[in-house]
Amino acid sequence: MSAWSLDNPVFSSYVFYAGVLAAKVLIMAPITGYYRITKKVFANEEDAKSMGAKEVKMNDADVERVRRAHQNDLENIPVFWILGLLYILTNPSEMIAKTVFRVFCISRILHTLLYLGGSSRRGISFMIGMVANVFMAVNVIMTFCC
């Protein structure tokens, strides 16, 4: 059986969590749009005019908070996608791999919820996700070094 086969339960689990995270990234754009429309905050003149806003505004706190949460996802989730695929090649324990994938996914969802809610505790969920990625990276390096 190939490591990257849906018959492999580790790969199947990875595909599920990678898909959830892709959906999460995609959802952030409409959330940004919602904040822009409800607060009439637009970065482009043509958007402001078409939506009845008086001026272009670049620094609304709520809109920028959503944009920063989205940017954070764009900086961290693709690393998971790459490391997850490489980690599968290490032939990991099914239980450990599924746990690492699940923990990363939950930590990213919590990070966004805490970020949008203005909680400084988002750093904890960020670090949990980072530890999951580092765990996979170390395993890949240790498996394939030399």
Side-chain angles (χ1 to χ4, degrees), residues 71-122:
Q71 181 64 39
N72 194 277
D73 281 346
L74 294 172
E75 293 167 356
N76 290 278
I77 292 174
V79 174
F80 168 83
W81 290 328
I82 294 166
L83 285 173
L85 286 174
L86 297 174
Y87 179 63
I88 292 166
L89 295 175
T90 70
N91 196 27
S93 150
E94 180 181 340
M95 183 191 74
I96 292 173
K98 286 182 173 184
T99 300
V100 170
F101 299 158
R102 184 176 300 125
V103 163
F104 182 83
C105 186
I106 291 169
S107 76
R108 292 309 308 172
I109 292 168
L110 281 175
H111 179 266
T112 296
L113 293 173
L114 293 168
Y115 206 137
L116 296 181
S119 174
S120 62
R121 296 179 195 261
R122 71 182 182 275

Side-chain angles (χ1 to χ4, degrees), residues 124-135:
I124 295 168
S125 60
F126 173 83
M127 286 308 299
I128 290 170
M130 182 65 71
V131 167
N133 271 344
V134 168
F135 173 82

Side-chain angles (χ1 to χ4, degrees), residues 12 14 17 21 28 40 56 65-66 77 81 96 99 102 107 112 120 127 132 136 141:
S12 185
Y14 166 80
Y17 288 109
L21 291 166
M28 295 304 290
K40 295 203 178 288
V56 170
R65 179 172 293 280
V66 176
I77 292 174
W81 290 328
I96 292 173
T99 300
R102 184 176 300 125
S107 76
T112 296
S120 62
M127 286 308 299
M136 290 189 293
I141 292 166

Side-chain angles (χ1 to χ4, degrees), residues 40 42 47-54:
K40 295 203 178 288
F42 302 98
D47 298 333
K49 284 180 183 177
S50 72
M51 297 302 287
K54 294 181 175 136

